[in-house]
């Protein structure tokens, strides 16, 4: 069985440097935008953004859901959850119905409105890098460890250990462990997840920290 890969993003460690943003642009051969990277938003040319201010930054990118609604509504299987974790897009199958854009609980997929043969665009978790045993481009360049790449089960353990080691520093919950059925992008934060603009941050009993 393929071990599922994932990202762990820790809000408390992000300094808003934009290295992940630049690395994503380079790896995907995406044009630079005119605006400052902190003011950029997700688009057909931008697959991840860093948002924030007040000393707190959060990344936005495809969450690579365990049970992706984008794939389940696609009538032609243009979106697929791979065993390794990424939700990938097969542009040769896409008919441009854009159901995926409506279905995504995180409002991630973007469309090439200006092109004659438009495609749906989003982060693919650097699927071909993963296939070659490499980390995602964004995790590889992160200077503070705010974005970590690894096996999902291991990253869940890392997250639990960080919460246990600094309980005053973190909300006692790993976002993405259960939300929308689980995601391959996990988050740790020092403020409630709804304050970061994430849907359905669980407010149930905190998880047992160390199993």
């Amino acid at each position: 069985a393929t071990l599922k890969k994932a990202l762990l993003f820790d809000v408390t460690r992000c300094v808003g440097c934009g290295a992940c943003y630049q690395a994503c642009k380079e790896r995907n051969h995406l044009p630079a935008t005119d605006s400052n990277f902190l003011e950029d938003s997700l688009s057909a040319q931008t697959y991840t953004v860093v948002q924030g201010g007040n000393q707190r930054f959060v990344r936005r990118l495809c969450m690579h859901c365990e049970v992706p609604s984008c794939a389940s509504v696609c009538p032609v299987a243009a979106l697929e959850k791979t065993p390794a974790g990424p939700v990938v897009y097969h542009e040769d199958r896409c008919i441009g119905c854009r159901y995926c854009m409506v279905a995504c609980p995180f409002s991630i997929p973007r469309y090439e409105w200006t092109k004659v043969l438009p495609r749906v665009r989003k982060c693919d978790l650097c699927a071909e890098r993963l296939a070659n045993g490499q980390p995602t481009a964004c995790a590889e360049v992160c200077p503070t460890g705010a974005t970590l790449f690894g096996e999902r089960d291991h990253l869940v353990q890392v997250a639990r250990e960080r919460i246990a080691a600094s309980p005053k520093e973190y909300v006692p919950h790993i976002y993405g462990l259960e939300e929308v059925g689980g995601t391959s992008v996990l988050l740790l934060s020092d403020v409630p997840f709804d304050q970061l603009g994430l849907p359905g941050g669980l407010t149930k009993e905190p998880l047992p920290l160390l199993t």
Side-chain angles (χ1 to χ4, degrees):
T2 308
L3 288 166
K4 276 215 176 107
K5 300 295 193 284
L7 292 177
L8 172 62
F9 176 72
D10 187 335
V11 171
T12 71
R13 298 191 179 203
C14 182
V15 294
C17 70
C20 55
Y21 171 89
Q22 301 294 351
C24 179
K25 289 269 185 186
E26 286 169 27
R27 179 260 165 183
N28 290 295
H29 312 292
L30 298 167
T33 41
D34 296 333
S35 57
N36 174 306
F37 76 89
L38 280 170
E39 289 153 16
D40 201 357
S41 51
L42 292 179
S43 69
Q45 286 86 41
T46 302
Y47 301 165
T48 188
V49 290
V50 182
Q51 295 175 336
N54 302 328
Q55 310 298 301
R56 188 178 286 108
F57 301 93
V58 64
R59 290 187 63 198
R60 295 256 180 271
L61 68 160
C62 174
M63 299 292 282
H64 299 280
C65 302
E66 297 288 286
V67 186
S69 49
C70 60
S72 51
V73 300
C74 180
V76 291
L79 288 146
E80 174 196 4
K81 175 75 173 180
T82 62
V87 175
V88 298
Y89 171 70
H90 304 286
E91 61 185 78
D92 55 326
R93 298 178 190 167
C94 181
I95 54 171
C97 70
R98 304 186 295 282
Y99 287 175
C100 55
M101 295 171 67
V102 178
C104 176
F106 300 100
S107 304
I108 295 296
R110 294 298 190 268
Y111 199 59
E112 295 178 318
W113 295 105
T114 56
K115 295 214 172 164
V116 179
L117 295 170
R119 298 167 296 176
V120 172
R121 305 277 76 191
K122 70 171 194 66
C123 157
D124 67 354
L125 206 64
C126 288
E128 96 277 353
R129 285 177 61 96
L130 269 57
N132 292 325
Q134 297 172 284
T136 62
C138 60
E140 189 172 63
V141 298
C142 180
T144 63
T147 299
L148 288 183
F149 170 82
E151 289 167 17
R152 189 175 186 271
D153 291 346
H154 174 67
L155 291 178
V156 168
Q157 195 61 32
V158 168
R160 285 188 169 143
E161 286 165 3
R162 284 189 187 177
I163 293 170
S166 310
K168 292 191 173 124
E169 206 175 314
Y170 292 106
V171 173
H173 179 69
I174 303 163
Y175 188 94
L177 206 54
E178 296 176 41
E179 282 81 5
V180 303
T183 59
S184 292
V185 177
L186 306 165
L187 285 94
L188 285 176
S189 175
D190 57 342
V191 297
F193 292 99
D194 56 359
Q195 287 183 29
L196 302 176
L198 288 162
L202 293 181
T203 51
K204 293 196 274 190
E205 288 299 303
L207 290 162
L209 290 179
L210 290 166
T211 51

